[in-house]
């Protein structure tokens, strides 16, 4: 599912920051057994990575916190 913000995150003053926390879904957890309602091709890292990059770029946040990041990726 693609999520698009209506407008980029932005701060209104110099002492404010925008923060995004994003769960990347670790590849070892993206299994058909766990996500049986999702098409198998949608769980493949090669398909998820471009979408993740697009979503993260669209946030335009000052600080980005990533969850479930794998060193191999």
């Amino acid at each position: 599912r693609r999520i698009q913000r209506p407008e980029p995150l932005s701060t209104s003053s110099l002492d404010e920051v925008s923060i995004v926390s994003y769960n990347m879904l670790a590849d070892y957890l993206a299994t058909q057994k766990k996500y049986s309602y999702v098409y198998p091709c949608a769980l493949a890292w090669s398909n998820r990575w471009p979408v993740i990059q697009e979503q993260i770029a669209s946030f335009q946040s000052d600080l980005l916190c990533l969850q479930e990041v794998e060193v191999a990726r």
Side-chain angles (χ1 to χ4, degrees):
R1 173 176 78 153
R2 292 185 182 203
I3 301 170
Q4 197 79 6
R5 292 189 58 79
E7 58 187 56
L9 296 173
S10 61
T11 58
S12 58
S13 69
L14 294 176
D15 61 347
E16 292 181 349
V17 294
S18 57
I19 301 171
V20 169
S21 180
Y22 190 92
N23 188 314
M24 300 192 44
L25 181 59
D27 202 31
Y28 78 95
L29 295 174
T31 64
Q32 191 63 38
K33 183 177 179 181
K34 189 168 189 133
Y35 295 96
S36 60
Y37 53 90
V38 176
Y39 290 117
C41 63
L43 294 174
W45 179 254
S46 59
N47 294 328
R48 291 191 299 126
W49 179 232
V51 176
I52 291 170
Q53 289 176 314
E54 183 181 314
Q55 287 180 340
I56 289 173
S58 75
F59 297 142
Q60 297 182 3
S61 64
D62 296 316
L63 181 62
L64 176 64
C65 304
L66 299 176
Q67 303 167 40
E68 296 187 24
V69 175
E70 294 179 286
V71 176
R73 299 292 178 197

